[in-house]
Amino acid sequence: MDVPPQFERIVPVNTFLKHFASDRSHMLMHRDNDTAPLGSEAGEVYISPPPIYNPICGIASAEKGVLNNLMSGFVDMVSSERTFGHVLDRQAMRVWK
């Protein structure tokens, strides 16, 4: 059985703190009238209760008006101009310093 390659994104802490932004939209599920439970309304609902603290937005993201870059900037394993840090496979992780 082939094991799919595993990747990690390595982001310097200062980059992460300045640029990370999450408006918690990844925690929302859209329900329309057909999928909403009987007696509840259609619309956006949290999959799990959100944290009690405010959404996180680093200063550089706030200055640019970016409210959310979690998936596109930090989770996506394809490097692009919109991503931060470096993507490494397991072999590269063994020698990374």
Side-chain angles (χ1 to χ4, degrees), residues 2-78:
D2 288 333
V3 176
Q6 294 180 335
F7 298 95
E8 300 289 338
R9 180 171 292 283
I10 306 299
V11 181
V13 67
N14 288 336
T15 300
F16 180 79
L17 293 173
K18 289 194 317 193
H19 295 279
F20 181 81
S22 176
D23 61 3
R24 301 188 179 138
S25 59
H26 66 285
M27 298 175 62
L28 293 171
M29 175 179 65
H30 180 76
R31 296 192 307 199
D32 56 26
N33 289 329
D34 295 331
T35 59
L38 190 60
S40 63
E41 296 182 25
E44 301 277 316
V45 295
Y46 281 102
I47 298 166
S48 295
I52 59 172
Y53 50 85
N54 290 333
I56 299 168
C57 187
I59 189 133
S61 288
E63 288 172 352
K64 294 177 183 176
V66 174
L67 300 176
N68 186 13
N69 61 13
L70 169 64
M71 297 301 174
S72 63
F74 294 92
V75 175
D76 188 355
M77 291 295 123
V78 176

